[in-house]
């Protein structure tokens, strides 16, 4: 009998397989990315709450379960399958600073930069779209780049005339993580791919190749009261 289109995959016992399990194993198996299970949301009679049990959890359903998560992260498909078989609701966390770093920008600026990069025919890696952290508005785009970017980012921005904190552009590197699709991030929505991982984007770009269009877009979209674009040529003194 043919499978019904859109029906969830089923295991040997006939029970549906968690989409989170399928994707977590795929990240490990196809991309060789290290994966670690995170917390998840509990929804009952009240508002959604984090499985960690903290009443005021700052990242509900989107943070590691244990403090030694960096040591436990694995790219072994068998290990990953076991984790999500035991806890099929766990969010999927991908450690940064290992297989990749990420450049994190507001969605609007990211879309502007993405369109410009495509016109320039730049090599692009996967691009993640995710809700902003609690306390912030809008969604974010995260451009996956080669690891090691976080340490170089301040100098790259300085050379382009942008001081610390002047742009809403941050790096995600060693000691951090991203929440991968189809995980849910609190009550704010789901993570999804703006550009899915594929054979075409297996090789990640260096951040240096993307930093110009990203800073241009972030500077253009930033509130004028907070950011003034740097002038490439110093103004001549008045006489």
């Amino acid at each position: 009998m043919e499978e019904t289109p859109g029906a969830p995959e089923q295991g040997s016992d006939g029970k549906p397989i968690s989409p989170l399990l399928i994707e977590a194993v795929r990240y490990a198996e196809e991309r060789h990315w290290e994966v670690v299970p995170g917390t998840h949301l509990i929804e009952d009679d009240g508002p959604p709450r984090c499985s960690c049990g903290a009443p005021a959890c700052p990242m509900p359903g989107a943070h590691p379960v244990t403090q030694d998560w960096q040591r436990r992260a694995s790219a072994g498909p068998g290990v990953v399958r076991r984790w999500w078989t035991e806890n099929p609701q766990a969010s999927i966390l991908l450690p940064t600073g290992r297989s990749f770093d990420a450049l994190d920008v507001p969605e609007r600026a990211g879309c502007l930069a993405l369109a410009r990069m495509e016109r320039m025919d730049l090599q692009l890696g996967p691009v993640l779209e995710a809700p902003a952290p609690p306390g912030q508005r809008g969604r974010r785009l995260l451009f996956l780049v080669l690891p090691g970017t976080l340490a170089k980012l301040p100098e790259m921005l300085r050379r382009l005339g942008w001081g610390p904190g002047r742009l809403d552009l941050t790096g995600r590197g060693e000691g951090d993580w991203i929440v991968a699709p189809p995980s849910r991030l609190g009550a704010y929505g789901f993570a999804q791919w703006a550009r899915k991982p594929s054979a075409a984007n297996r090789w990640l770009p260096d951040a240096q190749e993307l930093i110009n269009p990203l800073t241009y877009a972030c500077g253009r979209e930033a509130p004028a009261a907070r950011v003034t674009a740097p002038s490439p040529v110093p103004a001549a003194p008045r006489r």
Side-chain angles (χ1 to χ4, degrees):
M1 186 174 73
E2 294 184 1
E3 290 187 14
T4 303
E9 294 189 30
Q10 296 183 336
S12 57
D13 57 1
K15 295 181 180 180
I17 300 175
S18 164
L20 290 159
L21 183 154
I22 295 170
E23 291 303 316
V25 171
R26 184 172 292 159
Y27 295 139
E29 200 165 50
E30 297 182 4
R31 302 293 293 206
H32 306 295
W33 287 343
E34 292 188 346
V35 180
V36 65
T39 56
H40 64 274
L41 284 184
I42 298 176
E43 298 183 275
D44 44 30
D45 296 336
R49 64 185 190 278
C50 187
S51 61
C52 72
C57 177
M59 301 185 67
H63 64 84
V65 176
T66 61
Q67 293 186 351
D68 65 342
W69 64 271
Q70 294 187 69
R71 181 183 62 81
R72 296 184 65 234
S74 174
V79 174
V80 174
R81 184 180 300 277
R82 175 172 55 82
W83 282 338
W84 268 268
T85 299
E86 295 172 351
N87 187 4
Q89 298 183 73
S91 58
I92 304 172
L93 308 183
L94 305 177
T96 49
R98 300 187 182 188
S99 298
F100 57 82
D101 280 2
L103 295 173
D104 183 340
V105 299
E107 180 184 37
R108 184 167 174 174
C111 289
L112 176 65
L114 185 57
R116 192 177 186 195
M117 292 173 190
E118 289 173 342
R119 289 195 301 270
M120 297 168 66
D121 199 26
L122 292 179
Q123 175 189 346
L124 290 170
V127 180
L128 177 70
E129 180 186 352
Q136 298 184 24
R137 292 184 177 182
R139 294 176 68 86
R140 312 286 298 182
L141 285 191
L142 288 84
F143 292 75
L144 271 57
V145 293
L146 290 172
T149 295
L150 185 61
K152 300 183 294 184
L153 184 58
E155 177 62 17
M156 285 193 286
L157 293 176
R158 188 192 65 78
R159 289 182 178 180
L160 293 173
W162 296 101
R166 296 187 64 204
L167 287 181
D168 189 0
L169 189 164
T170 57
R172 309 280 286 274
E174 182 65 32
D176 204 349
W177 68 86
I178 63 173
V179 184
S183 305
R184 182 177 176 183
L185 285 76
Y188 311 99
F190 292 82
Q192 59 188 28
W193 292 109
R195 288 177 61 95
K196 293 182 178 180
S198 68
N201 60 29
R202 180 170 295 277
W203 304 107
L204 299 178
D206 190 295
Q208 189 66 55
E209 301 171 33
L210 310 186
I211 198 68
N212 278 325
L214 282 173
T215 54
Y216 169 81
C218 288
R220 177 173 170 175
E221 293 299 318
R226 184 166 63 87
V227 171
T228 302
S231 175
V233 179
R238 292 184 178 181
R239 296 181 178 274

